Amino acid sequence: MQPRPDTLLTYAITAGVILLVMALRWRRTGRAVPLKLERLWILPAILTLAVVATFATMPPHGLGWLFCLIAAGLGAALGWQRGRMMHIAVDPETHQLSQTSSPAALVLILAIVVLRQAARAGGAAWLHLDALALSDMLLALAFGLVVAQRVEMYLRARRLLRAAIPR
């Protein structure tokens, strides 16, 4: 069975947007940007609210909960690794923190996006999951990824900052 032309157009537009976003992000890779420890909690808090609101209004059912927990755990493992890939530095004079994203961290996100697109194209049919269960799992994966990445970065930055400040 041949894919419909409008489906191919949808995939082409999606691929184009992803490539554009990745190209823009790639240009910024390697540049140091200020890291504010007191702001690392904001994105995980927003994502937590989104996950709670989503699961409160339309909770997963049956094995969907198990798959969401597995996805969150996988996301946490990937997020921790992505956080470790971020270079964090402390200015010795001002004690200001900066972070530099790694090209490997960007490739990791690109791989997740590609996997998501593959699952969307029918790769999750063998799991007998509907689109809603798949979106719940992807939300859980994103939640685990963002929270673990920020926690790892916070702990490491705080440790580096304490080591840089003379006592």
Side-chain angles (χ1 to χ4, degrees):
M1 184 168 133
Q2 292 285 342
R4 295 185 355 211
D6 59 335
T7 303
L8 292 176
L9 181 63
T10 300
Y11 286 134
I13 290 171
T14 302
V17 169
I18 290 171
L19 288 174
L20 177 66
V21 169
M22 289 298 164
L24 293 173
R25 294 287 309 254
W26 189 266
R27 282 185 37 209
R28 285 190 264 155
T29 300
R31 290 188 196 161
V33 295
L35 174 63
K36 304 288 185 191
L37 282 181
E38 62 274 5
R39 293 185 186 165
L40 283 176
W41 66 272
I42 295 172
L43 186 58
I46 292 169
L47 198 51
T48 299
L49 291 174
V51 169
V52 168
T54 300
F55 285 0
T57 57
M58 297 187 74
H61 50 84
L63 286 177
W65 282 109
L66 176 63
F67 287 133
C68 284
L69 286 174
I70 292 170
L74 178 62
L78 291 171
W80 195 268
Q81 185 60 36
R82 185 167 191 262
R84 288 183 54 216
M85 291 179 193
M86 299 291 181
H87 177 72
I88 299 174
V90 180
D91 185 298
E93 294 175 11
T94 64
H95 299 119
Q96 296 285 43
L97 290 165
S98 65
Q99 74 175 20
T100 307
S101 64
S102 154
L106 190 60
V107 170
L108 178 65
I109 292 298
L110 181 61
I112 291 170
V113 169
V114 168
L115 285 174
R116 182 197 179 278
Q117 289 301 101
R120 184 175 153 211
W126 62 275
L127 290 173
H128 304 287
L129 295 172
D130 59 1
L132 190 59
L134 184 60
S135 67
D136 288 344
M137 289 170 37
L138 291 171
L139 185 60
L141 179 92
F143 173 75
L145 189 134
V146 169
V147 171
Q149 176 188 351
R150 296 297 176 105
V151 167
E152 196 285 332
M153 289 174 65
Y154 175 81
L155 294 173
R156 190 160 39 101
R158 194 178 69 185
R159 190 171 51 246
L160 289 171
L161 194 55
R162 283 186 181 156
I165 296 175
R167 294 181 186 190

